Amino acid sequence: MKIDILSLFPEFFSPLLSWSIIGRACEENKVSINSINIREFSQNKHKKVDDYPFGGGRGMVMKPEPIFRAIKSVRDKNSRVIYLSPQGKKFNQELANELSKEEHLILLCGHYEGIDNRIIEHYIDEEISIGDFVLTGGEIPAMIIIDAIVRLLPGVLRSDESFTDESHYNGLLEYPQYTRPREFNGYSVPDILLSGNHGKIETWRKEESLKATLLKRPDLLKQKTLSEEELIILSKIKDNLQL
Ligand SMILES: C[S@@+](CC[C@H](N)C(=O)[O-])C[C@H]1O[C@@H](n2cnc3c(N)ncnc32)[C@H](O)[C@@H]1O
């Protein structure tokens, strides 16, 4: 997969691209990520990239020409061009899974009051939001999306690191995790996890995953089609909790 980030602050991305799992994925060529400075596509002698909004109002708007040229410089027939925007479709695990199958993503980061609307109307494929709040720029949303996608690419996580059990992957939250020591400040790890009985541990995890989802994010259960087994487990959990 190739990801091109178009931003006025490409240096923002250096830490993301050099550390931990994403850094390793770049180093091992599992993904190629480039951050491109939109300012380089300004033909203005002062490299101006923003201007006052037509109709008046506060703030500055990013001009269309440098963005258009920046997109054109990297776009090809397999590109999916995404504008990070608080007005976009809400990003979630399902969308991360979908985007991880693309060959080429172009992530356009806005700044100031945003970008000239003609770019949104004519030169991008979609707007994606990371939540119903407004940030100063699209750089952090782009990093969030990159992080969520790259860890799903084949071979990026090692065999001992898996995303299939993790929260949201199958529409549920993950079961609780514990590590050493067995006792910490008088609190113990559940006995079942020390039993060595893998079948029982598996069953416990399934129950705990459903319980965590029921207690913390019941809205997720409404969106998911549960198997018969899961429905039986869930009804037992509800009985035990007297819900
Ligand atoms: C201050 S915001 C502009 C907000 C715009 N004036 C509006 O009200 O819709 C500047 C830039 O930050 C990015 N941004 C802000 N909030 C975001 C969010 N929730 N998700 C994705 N990108 C966001 C966008 O790229 C946007 O162009």
Side-chain angles (χ1 to χ4, degrees), residues 155-198:
V156 167
L157 294 188
R158 301 257 191 250
S159 53
D160 59 340
E161 307 163 329
S162 160
F163 53 77
T164 53
D165 280 350
E166 283 181 316
S167 297
H168 302 293
Y169 187 80
N170 64 0
L172 298 174
L173 302 183
E174 193 187 44
Y175 48 81
Q177 300 269 22
Y178 299 87
T179 185
R180 276 179 281 203
R182 288 178 178 208
E183 285 263 333
F184 164 70
N185 286 353
Y187 301 110
S188 312
V189 169
D191 286 340
I192 187 83
L193 297 178
L194 311 172
S195 69
N197 185 328
H198 295 295

Side-chain angles (χ1 to χ4, degrees), residues 62 83-88 108-115 128-139 141-142 145:
M62 285 173 66
Y83 170 48
L84 286 319
S85 159
Q87 301 185 17
L108 170 61
C109 307
H111 227 85
Y112 316 120
E113 284 305 312
I115 68 174
I128 294 182
S129 166
I130 59 150
D132 291 342
F133 42 79
V134 174
L135 300 167
T136 52
E139 285 73 17
I145 289 176

Side-chain angles (χ1 to χ4, degrees), residues 16 30 35-36 43 51 84 89 109 126 147 208 212 216 238:
L16 176 75
K30 302 273 172 17
S35 53
I36 295 160
Q43 291 179 343
D51 216 325
L84 286 319
K89 177 177 180 183
C109 307
E126 70 208 285
D147 191 309
E208 290 298 315
K216 297 182 194 176
K238 284 182 178 168

